[in-house]
Amino acid sequence: MRKPIIAGNWKMNKTAAECRTLITELIPKVKDAKCDVVVCVPFTDIALAAELAAGTNIKVGAQNIAWAESGAFTGEISAAMLREAGAEYVIIGHSERRQYFGETDATVNSRLVRAIEAGFKPIVCVGETLDEREGGKTESVCKTQVVGAFKGISADAAKGVVIAYEPVWAIGTGKTATDDQANETIGYIRSVVKELYGAAVSDAMRIQYGGSMNPKNVEGLMAKPEIDGGLIGGASLKSDDFSYIVNKA
């Protein structure tokens, strides 16, 4: 039985003051959650979020991690920096990183290897664009991204990774995959993991839906057998919306 995981991705939102308000509001609202609860916050909020969430059931994550330990990588952030700040989880390969900042399957793999080596709990994002879905390429794109991300990673290490299926066409567009579409594609992704690592790993791995899960669609999505939670964007920025999703999961 896979324990659901609901992770908020704040993206480039929330100053430290706003972070304090949101985390403080969230703590009592999600304290009885039956799922894992994670907030992936901007780098400048990590230390504060970790301090506020200490002793609660809320875990803190980052939105990226460098593949290098240190060095001349302007704008990147290292595993040691994230660890010291208090991050436990890290998002890798989000579609916005791929779209705007040149992330590739190879760099996703490098970041994932580093995150695992450093003891983080990675959330690796995969998903197709609208053109790819309409062109019947959903499965081939997801397979390529999963295989690329997990290159050289052992079965034992892979078990601790969360995959987030995020159809790019359903992020920030108001569109969302139907419950059946999301379940079918996540089931396919699980079959790719099975090809790579066998049934024990694929059965244990948690795969989230990351395409605009919100209070209106959470119950239908979470009722599907393949869907193990959500990577939540806009709805994670409001304590009432995020806590509703968490508690329904």
Side-chain angles (χ1 to χ4, degrees):
M1 191 72 179
R2 298 181 296 268
K3 185 178 183 181
I5 176 170
I6 299 294
N9 176 16
W10 291 8
K11 306 188 180 184
M12 195 177 71
N13 294 290
K14 302 297 181 184
T15 63
E18 292 168 332
C19 170
R20 181 181 295 278
T21 298
L22 182 49
I23 298 285
T24 301
E25 289 178 355
L26 273 178
I27 289 171
K29 293 179 179 179
V30 301
K31 64 182 177 63
D32 297 321
K34 300 297 189 294
C35 63
D36 287 338
V37 184
V38 185
V39 289
C40 295
V41 304
F43 298 138
T44 53
D45 291 342
I46 292 172
L48 175 60
E51 177 186 335
L52 294 169
T56 75
N57 62 326
I58 298 175
K59 305 300 182 184
V60 175
Q63 298 172 16
N64 196 14
I65 187 172
W67 56 77
E69 289 187 28
S70 62
F73 299 99
T74 301
E76 288 288 329
I77 192 160
S78 73
M81 294 169 183
L82 294 177
R83 176 68 65 205
E84 185 177 63
E88 183 175 337
Y89 286 79
V90 61
I91 298 172
I92 297 172
H94 191 278
S95 63
E96 289 156 3
R97 298 296 310 172
R98 297 176 189 260
Q99 180 178 357
Y100 300 123
F101 303 105
E103 201 78 70
T104 66
D105 293 341
T107 61
V108 168
N109 174 248
S110 298
R111 295 183 196 279
L112 179 56
V113 168
R114 183 71 194 117
I116 291 170
E117 289 174 348
F120 286 91
K121 297 175 180 177
I123 300 173
V124 176
C125 301
V126 302
E128 81 283 10
T129 65
L130 182 59
D131 285 347
E132 289 165 343
R133 172 163 280 272
E134 291 180 343
K137 298 177 181 177
T138 294
E139 292 188 353
S140 63
V141 168
C142 289
K143 182 171 186 175
T144 297
Q145 291 179 349
V146 171
V147 170
F150 284 88
K151 183 179 179 180
I153 291 171
S154 70
D156 191 54
K159 280 190 290 191
V161 178
V162 175
I163 293 177
Y165 166 58
E166 42 159 25
V168 180
W169 50 272
I171 298 172
T173 63
K175 297 180 180 180
T176 186
T178 66
D179 300 347
D180 287 336
Q181 284 176 323
N183 188 67
E184 179 182 3
T185 305
I186 288 174
Y188 174 75
I189 292 169
R190 196 177 304 284
S191 75
V192 174
V193 175
K194 184 177 180 179
E195 287 179 23
L196 292 175
Y197 297 113
V201 174
S202 66
D203 289 347
M205 182 177 284
R206 296 185 291 181
I207 307 179
Q208 301 171 306
Y209 175 67
S212 299
M213 184 181 282
N214 58 58
K216 293 181 180 179
N217 62 23
V218 59
E219 288 187 71
L221 287 165
M222 289 303 300
K224 294 297 182 180
E226 297 288 356
I227 301 176
D228 302 320
L231 182 60
I232 315 300
S236 71
L237 302 176
K238 299 177 182 178
S239 64
D240 283 347
D241 287 354
F242 188 62
S243 61
Y244 183 92
I245 294 168
V246 165
N247 290 314
K248 285 296 180 183

